[in-house]
mmCIF file of all heavy atoms in Angstrom:
data_model
loop_
_atom_site.group_PDB
_atom_site.id
_atom_site.type_symbol
_atom_site.label_atom_id
_atom_site.label_comp_id
_atom_site.label_asym_id
_atom_site.label_seq_id
_atom_site.Cartn_x
_atom_site.Cartn_y
_atom_site.Cartn_z
ATOM 1 N N LEU A 235 -11.854 -4.283 7.882
ATOM 2 C CA LEU A 235 -12.642 -5.205 8.683
ATOM 3 C C LEU A 235 -12.481 -4.934 10.177
ATOM 4 O O LEU A 235 -11.371 -4.710 10.655
ATOM 5 C CB LEU A 235 -12.199 -6.652 8.392
ATOM 6 C CG LEU A 235 -12.138 -7.057 6.914
ATOM 7 C CD1 LEU A 235 -11.481 -8.427 6.780
ATOM 8 C CD2 LEU A 235 -13.512 -7.055 6.288
ATOM 9 N N GLY A 236 -13.588 -4.960 10.913
ATOM 10 C CA GLY A 236 -13.537 -4.860 12.368
ATOM 11 C C GLY A 236 -13.292 -3.451 12.871
ATOM 12 O O GLY A 236 -12.153 -3.115 13.204
ATOM 13 N N PRO A 237 -14.321 -2.603 12.961
ATOM 14 C CA PRO A 237 -14.123 -1.232 13.442
ATOM 15 C C PRO A 237 -13.576 -1.204 14.866
ATOM 16 O O PRO A 237 -13.957 -2.001 15.716
ATOM 17 C CB PRO A 237 -15.531 -0.623 13.372
ATOM 18 C CG PRO A 237 -16.461 -1.792 13.357
ATOM 19 C CD PRO A 237 -15.733 -2.907 12.681
ATOM 20 N N THR A 238 -12.662 -0.254 15.104
ATOM 21 C CA THR A 238 -12.037 -0.140 16.432
ATOM 22 C C THR A 238 -12.176 1.249 17.038
ATOM 23 O O THR A 238 -11.586 1.527 18.069
ATOM 24 C CB THR A 238 -10.536 -0.491 16.346
ATOM 25 O OG1 THR A 238 -9.886 0.430 15.460
ATOM 26 C CG2 THR A 238 -10.323 -1.904 15.834
ATOM 27 N N GLY A 239 -12.932 2.141 16.392
ATOM 28 C CA GLY A 239 -13.075 3.490 16.912
ATOM 29 C C GLY A 239 -12.712 4.540 15.878
ATOM 30 O O GLY A 239 -12.675 4.262 14.679
ATOM 31 N N LYS A 240 -12.420 5.733 16.331
ATOM 32 C CA LYS A 240 -12.072 6.838 15.443
ATOM 33 C C LYS A 240 -10.748 7.465 15.879
ATOM 34 O O LYS A 240 -10.323 7.317 17.030
ATOM 35 C CB LYS A 240 -13.167 7.914 15.450
ATOM 36 C CG LYS A 240 -14.479 7.489 14.799
ATOM 37 C CD LYS A 240 -15.480 8.644 14.812
ATOM 38 C CE LYS A 240 -16.780 8.244 14.121
ATOM 39 N NZ LYS A 240 -16.603 8.152 12.654
ATOM 40 N N THR A 241 -10.127 8.181 14.953
ATOM 41 C CA THR A 241 -8.918 8.940 15.264
ATOM 42 C C THR A 241 -8.893 10.204 14.411
ATOM 43 O O THR A 241 -9.485 10.234 13.322
ATOM 44 C CB THR A 241 -7.647 8.110 15.017
ATOM 45 O OG1 THR A 241 -6.512 8.823 15.503
ATOM 46 C CG2 THR A 241 -7.444 7.831 13.538
ATOM 47 N N LYS A 242 -8.240 11.254 14.897
ATOM 48 C CA LYS A 242 -8.143 12.463 14.073
ATOM 49 C C LYS A 242 -7.036 12.270 13.052
ATOM 50 O O LYS A 242 -5.966 11.732 13.344
ATOM 51 C CB LYS A 242 -7.923 13.698 14.924
ATOM 52 C CG LYS A 242 -6.650 13.798 15.716
ATOM 53 C CD LYS A 242 -6.671 15.112 16.510
ATOM 54 C CE LYS A 242 -5.415 15.313 17.322
ATOM 55 N NZ LYS A 242 -5.455 16.561 18.107
ATOM 56 N N VAL A 243 -7.327 12.721 11.829
ATOM 57 C CA VAL A 243 -6.468 12.412 10.696
ATOM 58 C C VAL A 243 -5.892 13.668 10.068
ATOM 59 O O VAL A 243 -4.700 13.727 9.749
ATOM 60 C CB VAL A 243 -7.244 11.600 9.641
ATOM 61 C CG1 VAL A 243 -6.375 11.284 8.437
ATOM 62 C CG2 VAL A 243 -7.786 10.313 10.259
ATOM 63 N N PHE A 244 -6.713 14.687 9.839
ATOM 64 C CA PHE A 244 -6.195 15.930 9.266
ATOM 65 C C PHE A 244 -7.021 17.118 9.749
ATOM 66 O O PHE A 244 -8.131 16.962 10.254
ATOM 67 C CB PHE A 244 -6.140 15.875 7.737
ATOM 68 C CG PHE A 244 -7.475 15.735 7.051
ATOM 69 C CD1 PHE A 244 -8.263 16.842 6.764
ATOM 70 C CD2 PHE A 244 -7.934 14.482 6.654
ATOM 71 C CE1 PHE A 244 -9.481 16.720 6.114
ATOM 72 C CE2 PHE A 244 -9.155 14.345 6.001
ATOM 73 C CZ PHE A 244 -9.928 15.464 5.730
ATOM 74 N N TYR A 245 -6.438 18.317 9.574
ATOM 75 C CA TYR A 245 -7.089 19.553 10.051
ATOM 76 C C TYR A 245 -7.720 20.283 8.873
ATOM 77 O O TYR A 245 -7.055 20.582 7.878
ATOM 78 C CB TYR A 245 -6.079 20.457 10.747
ATOM 79 C CG TYR A 245 -6.724 21.644 11.433
ATOM 80 C CD1 TYR A 245 -7.268 21.503 12.712
ATOM 81 C CD2 TYR A 245 -6.802 22.878 10.802
ATOM 82 C CE1 TYR A 245 -7.872 22.580 13.348
ATOM 83 C CE2 TYR A 245 -7.398 23.959 11.432
ATOM 84 C CZ TYR A 245 -7.939 23.810 12.703
ATOM 85 O OH TYR A 245 -8.546 24.876 13.321
ATOM 86 N N ASN A 246 -9.020 20.560 9.001
ATOM 87 C CA ASN A 246 -9.764 21.284 7.970
ATOM 88 C C ASN A 246 -9.673 22.781 8.251
ATOM 89 O O ASN A 246 -10.288 23.279 9.195
ATOM 90 C CB ASN A 246 -11.222 20.818 7.968
ATOM 91 C CG ASN A 246 -12.015 21.412 6.826
ATOM 92 O OD1 ASN A 246 -11.847 22.568 6.469
ATOM 93 N ND2 ASN A 246 -12.903 20.608 6.261
ATOM 94 N N THR A 247 -8.883 23.495 7.440
ATOM 95 C CA THR A 247 -8.700 24.929 7.673
ATOM 96 C C THR A 247 -9.891 25.750 7.203
ATOM 97 O O THR A 247 -9.933 26.957 7.439
ATOM 98 C CB THR A 247 -7.429 25.424 6.957
ATOM 99 O OG1 THR A 247 -7.496 25.069 5.581
ATOM 100 C CG2 THR A 247 -6.189 24.819 7.586
ATOM 101 N N THR A 248 -10.853 25.125 6.536
ATOM 102 C CA THR A 248 -12.090 25.829 6.150
ATOM 103 C C THR A 248 -13.071 25.841 7.307
ATOM 104 O O THR A 248 -13.603 26.887 7.676
ATOM 105 C CB THR A 248 -12.728 25.154 4.926
ATOM 106 O OG1 THR A 248 -11.796 25.122 3.855
ATOM 107 C CG2 THR A 248 -13.974 25.909 4.483
ATOM 108 N N SER A 249 -13.296 24.671 7.900
ATOM 109 C CA SER A 249 -14.216 24.590 9.037
ATOM 110 C C SER A 249 -13.514 24.823 10.371
ATOM 111 O O SER A 249 -14.174 24.904 11.416
ATOM 112 C CB SER A 249 -14.883 23.210 9.063
ATOM 113 O OG SER A 249 -13.913 22.188 9.223
ATOM 114 N N LEU A 250 -12.174 24.899 10.328
ATOM 115 C CA LEU A 250 -11.351 25.133 11.524
ATOM 116 C C LEU A 250 -11.555 24.037 12.573
ATOM 117 O O LEU A 250 -11.723 24.313 13.773
ATOM 118 C CB LEU A 250 -11.651 26.507 12.129
ATOM 119 C CG LEU A 250 -11.455 27.705 11.194
ATOM 120 C CD1 LEU A 250 -11.780 29.004 11.921
ATOM 121 C CD2 LEU A 250 -10.037 27.737 10.651
ATOM 122 N N GLU A 251 -11.531 22.791 12.106
ATOM 123 C CA GLU A 251 -11.691 21.687 13.047
ATOM 124 C C GLU A 251 -10.954 20.459 12.521
ATOM 125 O O GLU A 251 -10.683 20.322 11.322
ATOM 126 C CB GLU A 251 -13.168 21.364 13.251
ATOM 127 C CG GLU A 251 -13.875 20.960 11.974
ATOM 128 C CD GLU A 251 -15.365 20.772 12.180
ATOM 129 O OE1 GLU A 251 -15.845 21.054 13.296
ATOM 130 O OE2 GLU A 251 -16.040 20.330 11.232
ATOM 131 N N TRP A 252 -10.637 19.555 13.449
ATOM 132 C CA TRP A 252 -10.004 18.294 13.077
ATOM 133 C C TRP A 252 -11.035 17.349 12.481
ATOM 134 O O TRP A 252 -12.182 17.300 12.927
ATOM 135 C CB TRP A 252 -9.350 17.647 14.287
ATOM 136 C CG TRP A 252 -8.062 18.301 14.684
ATOM 137 C CD1 TRP A 252 -7.873 19.256 15.642
ATOM 138 C CD2 TRP A 252 -6.775 18.038 14.105
ATOM 139 N NE1 TRP A 252 -6.555 19.606 15.709
ATOM 140 C CE2 TRP A 252 -5.851 18.883 14.778
ATOM 141 C CE3 TRP A 252 -6.319 17.200 13.109
ATOM 142 C CZ2 TRP A 252 -4.498 18.900 14.478
ATOM 143 C CZ3 TRP A 252 -4.973 17.195 12.789
ATOM 144 C CH2 TRP A 252 -4.073 18.034 13.464
ATOM 145 N N VAL A 253 -10.609 16.594 11.504
ATOM 146 C CA VAL A 253 -11.451 15.577 10.883
ATOM 147 C C VAL A 253 -11.099 14.220 11.487
ATOM 148 O O VAL A 253 -9.927 13.819 11.490
ATOM 149 C CB VAL A 253 -11.256 15.551 9.358
ATOM 150 C CG1 VAL A 253 -12.013 14.373 8.742
ATOM 151 C CG2 VAL A 253 -11.715 16.868 8.745
ATOM 152 N N TYR A 254 -12.105 13.540 12.019
ATOM 153 C CA TYR A 254 -11.933 12.212 12.613
ATOM 154 C C TYR A 254 -12.508 11.164 11.665
ATOM 155 O O TYR A 254 -13.587 11.361 11.092
ATOM 156 C CB TYR A 254 -12.650 12.131 13.960
ATOM 157 C CG TYR A 254 -11.966 12.894 15.070
ATOM 158 C CD1 TYR A 254 -12.023 14.288 15.119
ATOM 159 C CD2 TYR A 254 -11.257 12.235 16.072
ATOM 160 C CE1 TYR A 254 -11.399 14.998 16.134
ATOM 161 C CE2 TYR A 254 -10.633 12.931 17.100
ATOM 162 C CZ TYR A 254 -10.707 14.313 17.110
ATOM 163 O OH TYR A 254 -10.077 15.011 18.118
#
Side-chain angles (χ1 to χ4, degrees):
L235 309 171
T238 61
K240 291 182 178 288
T241 188
K242 64 181 181 181
V243 179
F244 64 85
Y245 188 83
N246 186 321
T247 54
T248 303
S249 62
L250 303 180
E251 60 185 5
W252 284 96
V253 173
Y254 287 74

